[in-house]
Amino acid sequence: MIFVPIILLMVICKDVTSIPCLSNESKKDFDDSRIALKDMENNLGNTVKKLENSFKKITASIQDQLGVVKDALSNVGEKVKKVDSDFRVLGKDFKKTKWHKYNGHCYFYGTDSQDWFTAERKCRDIGGYIAKIGDEKENKQIFANKPSASNHYWIGLTDLIEGEYRWTFDQTKATYLPWHSSYGKTNNGYNCGGLLNNHNGQWFDHPCNSKFFYICESNFCF
């Protein structure tokens, strides 16, 4: 029975020798593919590193920006506190200077005689403006509250363009003009207006360098 293994060996050898070997061309293609895959691996690795570095930079930038925003918010908070404090001080100043409230506005009566321009400046110095009177009700209220019955009061009315009376606060043209019969005439050289001490709140005009008491107004009331 020796011939059986010999036959089996012959069959195996025949099958093995029948397996085709890689040609030089196929081997080259295989090597090229392997190199290409290796290059791809390297490129992907480099790309990943670049993305990681970019991500780190972006993260650092975001953190820096968050720090800036945080500082800005902190500064805003401090400014809000300061504004609140300033308003509290302003409120105390208003109470000290005895402003009178009417219809959402406040009025202060200056009891030192000044020319019109100084009166206008002093009103601004205390946080207001020299009074603008828009209608009869407001005029009556202001007249009723004035502390002195013997003094005239400057208001914020001028006709630096002769005959065209405007309010210095916003330069709007005055439409309510309750002149006393002796005043309000053109070409008389009287360019600044005021509230008479009597005659139920009628107005006068006079040279601006004359000295009278004055009325200030503010849009902020406490």
Side-chain angles (χ1 to χ4, degrees):
M1 298 299 293
I2 296 175
F3 64 89
V4 174
I6 294 173
I7 294 172
L8 181 59
L9 180 60
M10 290 175 63
V11 172
I12 292 172
C13 289
K14 182 180 179 183
D15 290 339
V16 171
T17 55
S18 66
I19 296 174
C21 295
L22 289 173
S23 64
N24 290 335
E25 184 178 351
S26 297
K27 185 175 182 302
K28 183 177 182 304
D29 291 341
F30 178 79
D31 289 339
D32 290 344
S33 298
R34 182 172 57 80
I35 292 170
L37 287 172
K38 187 65 176 176
D39 291 342
M40 183 182 294
E41 180 184 5
N42 292 334
N43 289 334
L44 287 173
N46 292 333
T47 301
V48 169
K49 288 180 180 179
K50 288 180 180 179
L51 289 173
E52 288 176 345
N53 290 333
S54 297
F55 180 76
K56 289 179 181 179
K57 289 180 180 179
I58 292 171
T59 302
S61 177
I62 291 173
Q63 289 176 341
D64 290 341
Q65 293 298 322
L66 287 174
V68 171
V69 171
K70 185 177 179 181
D71 291 341
L73 289 174
S74 176
N75 290 335
V76 168
E78 292 300 321
K79 289 180 180 179
V80 169
K81 289 180 182 178
K82 186 178 185 306
V83 169
D84 182 63
S85 175
D86 290 345
F87 268 100
R88 290 177 186 273
V89 171
L90 186 60
K92 290 179 181 178
D93 289 344
F94 266 62
K95 290 176 182 177
K96 286 179 182 178
T97 50
K98 298 180 180 179
W99 291 74
H100 296 265
K101 292 183 180 180
Y102 170 71
N103 197 27
H105 287 218
C106 283
Y107 302 87
F108 170 75
Y109 297 85
T111 55
D112 51 319
S113 294
Q114 303 292 342
D115 63 74
W116 187 93
F117 296 102
T118 302
E120 191 272 337
R121 178 182 55 78
K122 294 192 77 170
C123 286
R124 285 188 284 109
D125 287 345
I126 61 173
Y129 51 90
I130 193 164
K132 173 185 176 182
I133 304 174
D135 56 44
E136 184 179 1
K137 287 183 178 180
E138 184 180 12
N139 191 58
K140 285 183 176 180
Q141 184 71 24
I142 290 172
F143 180 78
N145 284 330
K146 65 185 180 66
S148 173
S150 59
N151 286 278
H152 306 313
Y153 288 82
W154 284 127
I155 58 176
L157 189 68
T158 64
D159 72 335
L160 298 179
I161 299 175
E162 187 64 36
E164 187 177 286
Y165 279 92
R166 292 183 177 273
W167 296 107
T168 188
F169 168 63
D170 56 9
Q171 290 302 306
T172 54
K173 191 173 181 179
T175 55
Y176 172 69
L177 294 165
W179 296 117
H180 184 273
S181 58
S182 303
Y183 299 98
K185 296 177 172 56
T186 58
N187 299 315
N188 59 5
Y190 294 0
N191 298 120
C192 292
L195 185 71
L196 287 168
N197 61 352
N198 48 27
H199 300 290
N200 295 317
Q202 289 183 314
W203 296 358
F204 70 94
D205 56 352
H206 220 264
C208 299
N209 59 359
S210 302
K211 292 188 176 183
F212 301 111
F213 287 5
Y214 52 93
I215 304 170
C216 303
E217 183 175 352
S218 175
N219 298 338
F220 297 97
C221 284
F222 295 86

